Structure formats: C-alpha cells, structure tokens
Amino acid sequence: MIIFIDESGDLGQNISRGSSKIFVIAMIIFKKNSDIEHASFKIGELRKSLGKSKYYEFKFNKMRKSERIKFLRNIKSENFEIKTLIVSKDKDFISNVKGFDYGSLLGMLLIRNKNSIKNAQIRLDKIGGKEYKKLINVYLRKILNDGTSKNIIKEFKFVDSKNNNLIQLADIIAGSINRYYQDSKGDSNIYKEIIEEKIKDEWFVK
C-alpha cells in the first residue's frame, strides 16, 4: 500500500488578510505498484496531449478550468481511493486553532483510518526545512506505530512534487475538494463531482 498525500489551503486564522477559509488534506491510496505505474503513465500521456513540457507540474491553482476537468476525467477510472480531512474555519475553529498543526491533523487522519491502513509507504510533498521534515517523521512514527504487525507506517518519505505525478494527483484532488466548499466560486460544484465515487471518507474536523 502506497499513500500519496497533499493539502490545499492553510491553517492561518486571518481570513480577511488572505488565509484560506477551507483547509484540506487528501490521501490518495493505491494498493498495487502496477496501479501506481498505470496512473502515472496516464498523467504523463495527458501532459503530452495538452502540449505541456515533460517538466510541467500539474497544480490545481495554476490550471485552467478545462485542464482540471480533463485531468480528473482522465484519471477517475484508475484504481485508487480517496480519504480526506476538511477544516472549515468557523468561529469554533478560530477559537481552538492553537490546538491544530499540519502534523497533528495528518496524524489524526491516519489514525482514523488505522483499520484499513497497514504497513503503508507514505509519500508527502517535499515542503519545509530539514528540521520540519524530521519532526513530522518522528511525530507520525511515534503516534502511528506500536512496534507490532499493526504498524500503520512502513516507510515515510518526502518527495519532490515536480518529479512525482501522484503527488500532483493528490494536489489536484485536494484542490478539487477544497473548491467544492467555496460557494462563492462559480466552478465549486464541477470537480468533486467527477471523482465522487473515489471518495471513501470525508471527515470534517471542528
């Protein structure tokens, strides 16, 4: 089992100064290496069909509406499932935000799914400095693994999204789910509907 994880939005409190209203973590879960290879191949072929350079990185916030739709329709038949955590920054969130950080939210999402995740290889976008990565790695292993066959994490790596089609997939899915909960956006209902059948758990954290 290999899980690719990315987020959309931020955990900032000051929405009036640019912080996002919604924060999403999306886990894209593959159970076979062959499924990963096929999905990555399809994304690479889509990049060619769109006339993009082989170095082009698919990112939700940098794509046109038509490109997002084509990407999601192209990938929805692949063998993976989605589990996601969603934070809507209402008044309760703002008053309790000091209790949230990326590592703890990701840990909560993985623990929530501990009965279906076992000895997984976790892939996260390569963000933050060396010390940040070390803290996240140590923290997650500590709370998720008990030293038995029930371990949730087998391997934990940060990878460069520029070179990884499946992290790019996680970015677009996280962005699609985030957009769905932004009623002010004219395209809010479009993207999530395409991948709806892939979403096996949608967890709202307050």
Side-chain angles (χ1 to χ4, degrees), residues 96-111:
N96 295 312
V97 71
K98 291 182 180 179
F100 290 96
D101 60 62
Y102 181 70
S104 62
L105 287 171
L106 178 55
M108 287 163 58
L109 180 58
L110 288 164
I111 289 172

Side-chain angles (χ1 to χ4, degrees), residues 60 65 68 175-194 196:
F60 183 88
K65 175 181 172 181
R68 294 166 181 161
S176 297
I177 294 169
N178 191 319
R179 182 60 58 89
Y180 178 79
Y181 293 99
Q182 298 182 51
D183 295 336
S184 61
K185 300 288 187 178
D187 59 350
S188 61
N189 290 323
I190 295 174
Y191 313 114
K192 182 171 175 281
E193 182 177 304
I194 298 172
E196 192 72 51

Side-chain angles (χ1 to χ4, degrees), residues 4-200:
F4 298 87
I5 300 172
D6 207 357
E7 76 281 347
S8 176
D10 59 74
L11 286 170
Q13 299 180 51
N14 202 329
I15 294 172
S16 65
R17 294 192 176 182
S19 293
S20 64
K21 294 181 180 179
I22 304 292
F23 178 74
V24 172
I25 298 177
M27 300 196 308
I28 316 304
I29 302 171
F30 288 89
K31 296 181 179 178
K32 296 180 181 179
N33 281 324
S34 58
D35 291 337
I36 291 172
E37 292 168 3
H38 193 265
S40 183
F41 174 78
K42 284 193 75 173
I43 293 170
E45 291 298 296
L46 175 63
R47 188 179 284 110
K48 292 179 184 177
S49 74
L50 291 173
K52 306 291 187 182
S53 160
K54 66 179 180 179
Y55 302 109
Y56 175 79
E57 180 179 5
F58 287 109
K59 291 186 76 68
F60 183 88
N61 288 333
K62 294 183 178 180
M63 295 165 69
R64 295 191 296 269
K65 175 181 172 181
S66 60
E67 292 174 338
R68 294 166 181 161
I69 292 171
K70 191 167 186 178
F71 184 101
L72 293 168
R73 286 178 176 170
N74 183 68
I75 205 70
K76 72 174 185 177
S77 62
E78 296 303 296
N79 293 322
F80 64 89
E81 62 182 40
I82 301 164
K83 297 191 177 185
T84 183
L85 173 151
I86 301 161
V87 175
S88 178
K89 299 178 189 175
D90 56 18
K91 292 180 179 179
D92 289 335
F93 171 80
I94 295 300
S95 65
N96 295 312
V97 71
K98 291 182 180 179
F100 290 96
D101 60 62
Y102 181 70
S104 62
L105 287 171
L106 178 55
M108 287 163 58
L109 180 58
L110 288 164
I111 289 172
R112 177 180 172 87
N113 291 282
K114 65 182 180 180
N115 291 329
S116 60
I117 297 175
K118 180 179 177 181
N119 289 328
Q121 299 177 53
I122 307 292
R123 302 288 182 262
L124 279 170
D125 192 7
K126 191 177 182 180
I127 57 173
K130 184 176 180 180
E131 286 303 311
Y132 169 80
K133 295 185 181 74
K134 182 178 179 180
L135 285 171
I136 292 289
N137 193 346
V138 171
Y139 170 73
L140 290 179
R141 287 183 182 277
K142 181 178 179 180
I143 66 170
L144 296 172
N145 290 351
D146 60 7
T148 71
S149 61
K150 295 179 181 179
N151 284 352
I152 293 176
I153 294 178
K154 176 182 179 181
E155 184 181 67
F156 186 95
K157 286 185 178 180
F158 287 91
V159 297
D160 190 341
S161 61
K162 292 180 180 179
N163 304 317
N164 192 297
N165 284 337
L166 287 313
I167 290 292
Q168 294 175 38
L169 169 63
D171 173 280
I172 293 172
I173 288 176
S176 297
I177 294 169
N178 191 319
R179 182 60 58 89
Y180 178 79
Y181 293 99
Q182 298 182 51
D183 295 336
S184 61
K185 300 288 187 178
D187 59 350
S188 61
N189 290 323
I190 295 174
Y191 313 114
K192 182 171 175 281
E193 182 177 304
I194 298 172
I195 53 170
E196 192 72 51
E197 65 181 28
K198 295 290 186 183
I199 302 174
K200 305 304 180 185

